[in-house]
Amino acid sequence: MPGISDLGARALRWLPPETAHGVAVGLLRWGLAPAARSMPPPSLHVKLWGLEFPSPLGLAAGFDKNAAALRGLYRLGFAFIEAGTVTPRPQAGNPRPRLFRLAADGALINRMGFNGDGLDVFAANVARARETAAAAGPLGINIGANRDSADFTEDYVLCLKRLAPLADYVTLNLSSPNTSGLRSLQEGEALRRLLGEVSNTIAGMEKSLPLLLKLAPELEGAVLAESVRAAMEFGIAGLILCNTTTARPANLRSPARNEQGGLSGAPLCTPALGMMREVYGLSEGRIPLVGVGGIASPEDAYARIRAGASLLQVYTGFIYRGPRLIADIISGLAERLKVDGYDHIGQAVGRDP
Ligand SMILES: Cc1cc2nc3c(=O)[nH]c(=O)nc-3n(C[C@H](O)[C@H](O)[C@H](O)COP(=O)(O)O)c2cc1C
């Protein structure tokens, strides 16, 4: 029988997608969201980068771009939240409509274009949430660049300096397909220059801050291998695999399938799993990986862990399934560990090479 939160998730589907998203964030912000019924079992507890994650399951970047609803999101049962992407200055993003449901494909296409209230509002929201939800779970902050910025690298450094005191980890989003030129920072000399600048910035800080890179599924072969090597050389703490794809699989059925932007959800599941496997192999398991892309069931979640993910994130699956997905994945993961004879989730990471 559907619970109230499932009914809520279904009701939101009657609204245009961006309106539904705004309503959901508003409800969460005002505490009008269900609370998780139970704590994850100790077998799912993850300790990473000196942080304690009650389970491996977090919310991916882009849902709470302004860090406006953190408390409500933790209450739903996410072990960690990645807020943002935040840019230095407020930005309107692309004209609407810019978010499309591909319900028949279990997918979304978005070309939001880093819409957000900017660094000042974001920092104030996080500071407020930190006062009231201190013990809720780790907070990742995902940072980006303004589209009209003269130097993207400077924008990352600016965000990093300002937000470091408020974050448990910071992600450099180098992989949004909706800011022209951004993805070129993921590779070659541009990546090395950026990594040089951000690691100098971090080296000058009192706090040791884990820095993560979020990569695109289009990064492949020798270029991917070189980017992973550069990340490890510069002491990057983890890689998030992956962002939305600009590819359009031939079997998409929904009318909106040819909209421009990044495709997320079910069609991304297999490519994201493949990328996870490849990067786990390339890095020989020496850099923690966060799996995201098309995870919508305990099977998807466990497969991603076995392919090499230490942590997981969801976005599109959560939009379609609502908060019930969180409890399903948590209980499903715990069951699968038992069946496979593991005491702890860490033992399953990278078991399927
Ligand atoms: C509407 C929407 C907005 C997003 N915005 C961001 C963003 O601001 N920053 C980012 O790093 N990823 C963003 N993403 C990508 C997600 O974090 C995630 O990497 C991607 O959707 C794949 O996961 P999923 O299949 O579970 O949705 C966005 C995704 C969607 C659907």
Side-chain angles (χ1 to χ4, degrees):
M1 191 174 343
I4 186 83
S5 59
D6 304 302
L7 293 175
R10 279 188 215 166
L12 287 175
R13 254 176 266 156
W14 292 97
L15 298 172
E18 196 169 342
T19 311
H21 183 251
V23 170
V25 171
L27 291 173
L28 287 159
R29 185 182 182 136
W30 297 111
L32 299 172
R37 297 226 183 104
S38 56
M39 281 295 289
S43 62
L44 294 188
H45 189 100
V46 178
K47 195 166 174 185
L48 191 60
W49 309 310
L51 303 170
E52 308 278 343
F53 297 80
S55 86
L57 186 63
L59 177 65
F63 185 90
D64 193 0
K65 286 186 187 264
N66 296 309
L70 296 176
R71 213 149 58 103
L73 288 166
Y74 284 115
R75 254 170 67 90
L76 291 180
F78 285 116
F80 66 109
I81 311 289
E82 190 165 313
T85 296
V86 56
T87 56
R89 283 169 287 112
Q91 185 166 278
N94 287 317
R96 298 184 193 202
R98 54 193 177 176
L99 175 58
F100 305 89
R101 286 191 192 102
L102 283 72
D105 300 299
L108 296 169
I109 290 177
N110 91 83
R111 52 168 179 269
M112 307 301 288
F114 288 170
N115 56 308
D117 295 338
L119 208 43
D120 290 336
V121 171
F122 187 98
N125 285 344
V126 175
R128 204 173 318 114
R130 283 294 203 193
E131 281 168 19
T132 50
L139 174 68
I141 297 184
N142 178 306
I143 62 176
N146 282 110
R147 67 170 53 195
D148 58 355
S149 166
D151 183 349
F152 283 169
T153 299
E154 270 179 25
D155 281 18
Y156 286 100
V157 170
L158 198 72
C159 289
L160 188 56
K161 282 187 177 155
R162 176 75 184 277
L163 295 169
L166 295 168
D168 292 312
Y169 73 82
V170 167
T171 302
L172 308 184
N173 178 6
L174 308 180
S175 47
S176 167
N178 301 315
T179 295
S180 170
L182 195 87
R183 283 183 163 199
S184 65
L185 292 174
Q186 296 180 102
E187 50 187 87
E189 265 319 296
L191 176 62
R192 286 180 170 273
R193 177 176 165 249
L194 175 68
L195 292 181
E197 299 263 345
V198 293
S199 33
N200 282 343
T201 309
I202 287 218
M205 289 177 184
E206 281 168 21
K207 169 178 176 181
S208 99
L209 183 70
L211 197 62
L212 279 66
L213 304 184
K214 184 165 178 181
L215 303 177
E218 281 76 27
L219 209 57
E220 288 176 331
V223 181
L224 174 62
E226 176 46 34
S227 299
V228 171
R229 196 172 318 129
M232 288 165 64
E233 247 173 64
F234 280 88
I236 289 300
L239 300 175
I240 303 187
L241 312 170
C242 56
N243 214 314
T244 56
T245 180
T246 50
R248 293 292 182 269
N251 59 357
L252 293 179
R253 292 181 291 150
S254 308
R257 63 186 179 270
N258 291 322
E259 288 292 344
Q260 234 184 21
L263 173 71
S264 58
L268 188 56
C269 193
T270 302
L273 177 66
M275 187 179 194
M276 174 59 60
R277 243 183 222 128
E278 186 175 355
V279 173
Y280 189 79
L282 284 170
S283 60
E284 296 166 342
R286 283 181 292 134
I287 181 167
L289 305 174
V290 181
V292 53
I295 297 174
S297 69
E299 292 76 31
D300 299 337
Y302 194 49
R304 206 63 59 91
I305 297 238
R306 291 189 62 109
S310 295
L311 293 174
L312 303 170
Q313 294 177 331
V314 291
Y315 191 140
T316 304
F318 172 59
I319 298 296
Y320 283 109
R321 298 249 353 254
R324 171 172 286 212
L325 178 65
I326 306 167
D328 277 1
I329 289 182
I330 288 175
S331 62
L333 279 177
E335 273 165 32
R336 278 159 183 79
L337 286 185
K338 269 196 205 145
V339 169
D340 285 356
Y342 299 128
D343 300 326
H344 188 263
I345 189 104
Q347 296 166 329
V349 173
R351 280 304 170 119
D352 289 341

